[in-house]
Amino acid sequence: MTYMENHFLSDKDGQALLSTLENRFKANQQRHPSIEWTTVKERLKNHPEALWSLNEMEMTGGEPDVVFYDAKQDLYTFVDCSRESPIGRRSACYDQAALDARKANKPALNVIDTVKAMGTSLLTEAQYRALQELGEFDAKTSSWVQTPADIRKRGGALFCDYRFGHVFVYHNGASSYYSARGFRVALTI
């Protein structure tokens, strides 16, 4: 579990977020046909600190929804389900080293530090592909994904998008950033 254990929402904000999450859950049953909202809500009530991370996802345009359930470990995973890469998390270098390497025009964000501050995890390529099985995401944008250490060591980073009915995985310099490239995160409880 990666949520921020020392951050909590007020009762009022927590209830408002739960209502938003429930409405999204009910409106998108195809994403989780075998999961019951009452079970997810109970899990969230037992882990109120996770609501803070979900609120961070929501406030930056991620539109989090439950999309994965690991029955073996009894874990639910929320993922950003916004149609395009979350608008509040675009124009970001991959990590602090990439940001530091830029001589000019530095963006305000780097992906890895923002993910950590949100108490979430960056999607893996496998998670990104699994998400695309539930709908079409990033048809006009792209999203950074977890990058293997050997690629990052050589200055690169990976991102994905969905075009022509397929998921594409690309590489770019980790210090690059674009207004149409953001990142999607996951939260497991």
Side-chain angles (χ1 to χ4, degrees):
M1 297 183 204
T2 57
Y3 49 81
M4 300 300 286
E5 295 186 21
N6 295 324
H7 291 85
F8 295 93
L9 292 181
S10 68
D11 287 341
K12 180 182 175 185
D13 290 343
Q15 289 303 317
L17 179 60
L18 281 172
S19 179
T20 297
L21 294 172
E22 181 176 7
N23 290 337
R24 184 173 297 127
F25 183 93
K26 289 179 178 178
N28 295 284
Q29 286 293 318
Q30 76 282 2
R31 294 179 187 157
H32 36 250
S34 62
I35 300 173
E36 297 291 328
W37 173 251
T38 53
T39 308
V40 174
K41 185 176 181 180
E42 188 64 29
R43 179 69 54 93
L44 288 170
K45 286 184 176 183
N46 289 331
H47 298 281
E49 60 279 7
L51 285 175
W52 184 87
S53 293
L54 287 168
N55 192 61
E56 291 295 300
M57 292 169 73
E58 185 71 27
M59 298 304 292
T60 54
E63 301 176 22
D65 198 4
V66 180
V67 296
F68 305 124
Y69 175 66
D70 180 340
K72 188 175 182 179
Q73 296 184 343
D74 189 31
L75 295 172
Y76 295 91
T77 301
F78 284 82
V79 173
D80 291 312
C81 290
S82 55
R83 278 292 192 214
E84 302 301 334
S85 193
I87 192 128
R89 289 186 248 138
R90 294 186 192 168
S91 297
C93 289
Y94 188 76
D95 57 19
Q96 187 63 47
L99 186 61
D100 291 344
R102 289 196 65 87
K103 302 284 187 245
N105 304 314
K106 293 186 179 201
L109 301 175
N110 82 70
V111 174
I112 300 304
D113 287 345
T114 304
V115 168
K116 184 177 178 181
M118 292 172 67
T120 59
S121 60
L122 184 62
L123 290 190
T124 64
E125 180 185 339
Q127 288 173 318
Y128 189 91
R129 289 182 181 281
L131 177 64
Q132 293 291 359
E133 296 293 320
L134 304 174
E136 294 181 7
F137 303 94
D138 288 336
K140 297 176 184 173
T141 58
S142 60
S143 294
W144 292 109
V145 294
Q146 287 185 28
T147 298
D150 63 324
I151 293 173
R152 183 61 199 98
K153 192 181 294 185
R154 291 179 172 95
L158 300 179
F159 66 95
C160 298
D161 64 22
Y162 185 82
R163 305 288 195 276
F164 311 109
H166 293 277
V167 173
F168 289 91
V169 179
Y170 306 91
H171 59 89
N172 215 174
S175 63
S176 67
Y177 68 96
Y178 300 93
S179 62
R181 181 174 308 144
F183 57 97
R184 295 175 182 276
V185 298
L187 177 74
T188 300
I189 57 170

